[in-house]
Amino acid sequence: MTKPHILQVGSYPAGDQSALDAVFDMRRVFEAPDKAAFLAAEGPAIRGIATRGDLGASAEIIAACPNLEIISVYGVGYDAVHLPSVRARGIKLTNTPDVLTDDVADLAVGMLLALSRGIARADGFVRDGSWSKASFPLQRKVSGKRAGILGLGRIGHQIARRLEAFGMEIAYCSRQPKPEAGAWAYEADPVALARRSDYYVIALAATPETRHIVGREVIAALGPAGMVVNISRAANLDEAALLDALETGALGGAALDVFDGEPALNPRFLTAPNLLLQPHHGTGTHETRQAMGQLMRDNLMAHFAGRPLLTPV
Ligand code: 8YV
């Protein structure tokens, strides 16, 4: 039986690639010198798309595949998939939730601690010999402070649980109160959440409605001692407003794992003070990426075997 033709939008770790090649006829559009020509030639035979959370599937790519049945996302965020095309054509869509929740929550907490205690700067301070000339500047205590979690989904909930263990006062903002939030304080408005937060963690899924949800108002409400952590999507944060606030001292600091135009950055990020920068690596561990790859493949194999999808969106 011929292997289903799958359009591959981006690279995967070697183990995932070989496992996909064993079961599917993978057509790697990201390696094509002329992507439009590649899609014109390969698109009609494509039955599935294998993509990543950061890459998605554009309206153009979907339109080039008239016989497309399923899009499988290696990642939890599917905001880069053109949903109107998916819904209009009844294309199945899957992602890889749960298997990556702990990793992303762990990194968010690590970024918050590293930012507040200056861990990356202190490493450089030791390495460049500055320690022989001065003491490292005092930093900011984390335990017992106030954490505001914007978006209390799977990842936001696990971040809140971790920060609670640091004796922090937890508040959150979501469309409506969450029963599973227990004693954590609910705020319906992102600005109200910022007013009661020392650390503001952006953990919500990116949608057209959440674009720049963290902008000048939220940043001003956080104030000069406030700090922002973003492990969601760059689109949820107004980068210009953040950079203005960091450069003027109107915000205390930011730890970011996602950026507009990544991996290219606004060059202001390289000089602005009190910043911790990470390379979109929330899920970047062997264990989690293996689990993500397996789940992405399992969804594709379930579809082509006529079985129920494991994690449909
Ligand atoms: C992906 C992501 O894991 O899960 C997501 O939605 O944003 C990422 O962390 C990454 O795109 C995999 O390459």
Side-chain angles (χ1 to χ4, degrees), residues 52-54 74-77 100 233 280 283 289 292:
R52 301 192 326 226
D54 54 328
Y74 177 95
V76 66
L100 52 75
R233 285 289 188 268
H280 198 153
T283 61
R289 291 291 173 88
M292 290 163 61

Side-chain angles (χ1 to χ4, degrees), residues 9-149:
V9 177
S11 63
Y12 293 119
D16 289 321
Q17 189 64 63
S18 53
L20 284 164
D21 290 335
V23 188
F24 300 111
D25 188 335
M26 302 302 293
R27 301 298 167 109
R28 301 174 180 75
V29 63
F30 65 100
E31 294 176 344
D34 182 338
K35 290 177 176 46
F38 183 94
L39 288 169
E42 299 286 348
I46 294 295
R47 296 179 60 195
I49 291 177
T51 186
R52 301 192 326 226
D54 54 328
L55 298 176
S58 66
E60 294 71 25
I61 281 185
I62 294 171
C65 304
N67 299 301
L68 181 60
E69 302 166 30
I70 181 171
I71 298 173
S72 186
V73 177
Y74 177 95
V76 66
Y78 50 90
D79 50 290
V81 174
H82 191 256
L83 284 181
S85 301
V86 167
R87 300 311 185 208
R89 289 179 45 191
I91 296 166
K92 294 178 182 174
L93 177 62
T94 64
N95 64 345
T96 60
D98 296 322
V99 296
L100 52 75
T101 300
D102 282 339
D103 253 5
V104 178
D106 289 353
L107 186 68
V109 172
M111 288 165 64
L112 186 155
L113 286 166
L115 174 69
S116 195
R117 296 299 301 274
I119 293 174
R121 288 196 307 275
D123 178 271
F125 185 85
V126 174
R127 290 175 191 274
D128 70 13
S130 299
W131 194 15
S132 60
K133 307 181 191 80
S135 298
F136 188 66
L138 298 180
Q139 302 298 307
R140 308 283 299 187
K141 179 178 180 179
V142 171
S143 287
K145 292 278 182 65
R146 302 169 304 166
I149 314 296

